[in-house]
Amino acid sequence: MVRWGGGRYEGAPVTVVTPCQTWHHPDLSLHSQLLSLLLLLLLGPPTTSGMEDPTFPHLGESLQPPPRACPLRCSCPRADTVDCDGLDLRVFPHNITREAQQLSLQNNQLQELPYNELSRLSSLRTLNLHNNRISSEGLPDEAFESLTQLQHIYVAHNKLSVAPQFLPPSLRVVDLAANQVTEIFPLTFGEKPELRSVYLHNNQLSNAGLPPDAFHGSEAITTLSLSNNQLSYLPPSLPPSLERLHLQNNLISKVPRGALSRQTHLRELYLQHNQLTDSGLDATTFSKLHHLEYLDLSHNQLAAVPAGLPRTLAVLHLGRNRIQQVEAGRLRGARGLRYLLLQHNQLGAAGLPAGALRPLRGLHTLHVYGNRLERVPLALPRRLQSLVLPHNRVTALGAHDLAAMPGLAELNLAYNRLASARVHHQAFRPLRALRTLDLAGNQLTRVPTGLPAHLHILRLQRNQLRTLEPEPLAGLDQLRELSLAHNQLRVGNIEPGTWHELRALQVLDLSHNHLSFVPPDLPEALEELHLQSNRISYVGPEAFLSTPSLRVLFLRANKLHMTSIAPEAFLGLPHLRVVDTTGNPEQVLIQLPPTAPHQPRTGGP
């Protein structure tokens, strides 16, 4: 008799034979007996209970590996990832696996990092401590010594008063923003050949807290953010590899000569909200920046455009300075400029002399709103596409004032002093590419004539319009949006046929006028109609027969009563979604067409 124990045969499945079952039977043929004997020889002698293979699974044992250790309440979605985000932890968690490469402890209440726990985690590549309460006292000097593979460390929004004295040379990204850091050390960021990005904004760093060799040996840094600190001059010895440098919201009054001479790869430089004056810059300050594309000097105290601007510059932001005049010579070198922003300066009648911007042949956008200009600047670049000139003192438009800009697509002259009598009837005719015209907030008493046929948006709100005639709007068959709000229009002064050629008009704003009922024969394509704050007391059954595409209707703050809207008024408006009647003397009853797919939103007083 052969009794099988708990052994196994590695080469093929084993058929288990129950105890006391014999393998010899009188009915077996000789051939079968020989095969059985051969099988027994191949399997070897039967294993006894004392010879069991310890690796063989016994009854009640599982083939699954034991569960991974994971700190209490944390999650470990992968063997190398531990996520303890937002658990209100006050103590560094225990039982973190040594194999962890990604550890997130952000949004907790940690005040210190125990060295003995952190030093175990030598495989860490990313450590996220964002938004805790860690102080410099709670961060040992040797805290990160053993983290030789660390690449990303985030300690922003904590309570550090000084930066860590040593960070691993393997780092690529360091974020210490939004602390109270007043000092960094040579090996905080120095001697890190892989370092790419350093974020130190929203701290309390002064120039005294930045050592001269702060970035020595870290020749790959491309992004450095020092904004919202207390720097009084541009720090020397910045990495020559920089591509983006953020220094906004400091106390910088001077860029020392040569401070940017090595940063030839710099593409973006942010110096807005400082205390820069003309004497704090010189002709060489920016001249070596042969890759500079974006320069923001807004919110300073400059009285002139800086000299020596590089030809690669695409965006120059000089808004909210004290510039009184733009000298042509100052921009001659920046021939690649695309966007020039000069808003809220002190540019007067001679602030932009004729031809001052002519060298900027590729200029796309000119912003000069909030100055004291009395006319549209002459001889602007022919390729200009956007001229933004609101809140100036422009009183007139001559026949040729805009003729030099045939490619202009956007013209904003809102909130100037334009009167209809001083706008030439052909002033806008040369602007064949114009798509948006904003004349809001002027002193116009009629719609200007000669408007470009391809106009899409026309804004005339807050003027002194009393009448509407068909002629100025004739031919505007591509107009999509027309704002006539805050004027003095009455229905009787809107002449028949006024809307006839506005076949594409989708949005019409007639709010804040003196309308006593809905104007007739509105454009067929209309989808949004603003009639709020008029004197409408009745809406008849045929009010919207011409506007089958209407989706949104504003009738609030009129003189409507409960039954002021005829029951048939909204028949034939299958797309209507919103009817706003709030702010009327009484709650208005609205009867909706049965075909309306959704119940429009209505309102009472």
Side-chain angles (χ1 to χ4, degrees), residues 272-447:
Q272 67 267 34
H273 289 279
N274 277 284
Q275 299 177 13
L276 285 168
T277 61
D278 295 341
S279 61
L281 306 174
D282 61 45
T284 67
T285 300
F286 308 112
S287 61
K288 303 291 186 182
L289 305 180
H290 301 311
H291 290 88
L292 192 65
E293 298 175 1
Y294 186 101
L295 176 58
D296 194 338
L297 291 165
S298 62
H299 295 267
N300 278 282
Q301 300 171 25
L302 301 175
V305 176
L309 297 172
R311 64 182 311 118
T312 55
L313 196 61
V315 180
L316 177 58
H317 199 328
L318 291 168
R320 293 192 180 275
N321 277 278
R322 301 174 181 177
I323 299 172
Q324 297 182 11
Q325 188 178 53
V326 176
E327 300 175 28
R330 293 296 180 98
L331 291 170
R332 187 171 291 120
R335 294 182 181 274
L337 203 62
R338 298 270 294 160
Y339 298 87
L340 177 56
L341 312 179
L342 288 162
Q343 66 270 25
H344 294 289
N345 275 278
Q346 299 176 18
L347 298 173
L352 275 172
L357 304 182
R358 185 173 291 167
L360 308 179
R361 296 181 180 178
L363 193 65
H364 177 284
T365 298
L366 175 61
H367 281 211
V368 284
Y369 57 81
N371 280 278
R372 304 169 187 171
L373 298 174
E374 296 178 3
R375 63 177 303 171
V376 175
L378 298 177
L380 292 175
R382 290 183 60 82
R383 297 180 184 177
L384 193 67
Q385 294 187 36
S386 178
L387 176 57
V388 183
L389 235 162
H391 293 282
N392 276 275
R393 301 174 181 178
V394 179
T395 58
L397 283 178
H400 305 292
D401 286 1
L402 304 172
M405 300 173 287
L408 201 65
E410 177 190 5
L411 176 59
N412 190 332
L413 289 166
Y415 299 97
N416 276 276
R417 302 175 182 179
L418 288 170
S420 293
R422 303 198 64 187
V423 176
H424 196 276
H425 66 278
Q426 292 188 347
F428 301 105
R429 194 173 298 278
L431 305 180
R432 297 180 180 179
L434 197 65
R435 297 294 182 270
T436 300
L437 176 58
D438 195 337
L439 295 170
N442 280 280
Q443 301 168 20
L444 302 175
T445 55
R446 59 180 182 268
V447 178

Side-chain angles (χ1 to χ4, degrees), residues 564-596:
S564 293
I565 298 180
E568 306 86 1
F570 301 127
L571 290 176
L573 300 180
H575 306 288
L576 194 61
R577 296 294 188 277
V578 174
V579 178
D580 186 351
T581 59
T582 57
N584 278 281
E586 293 180 1
Q587 185 171 358
V588 182
L589 295 180
I590 295 177
Q591 185 170 340
L592 304 172
T595 55

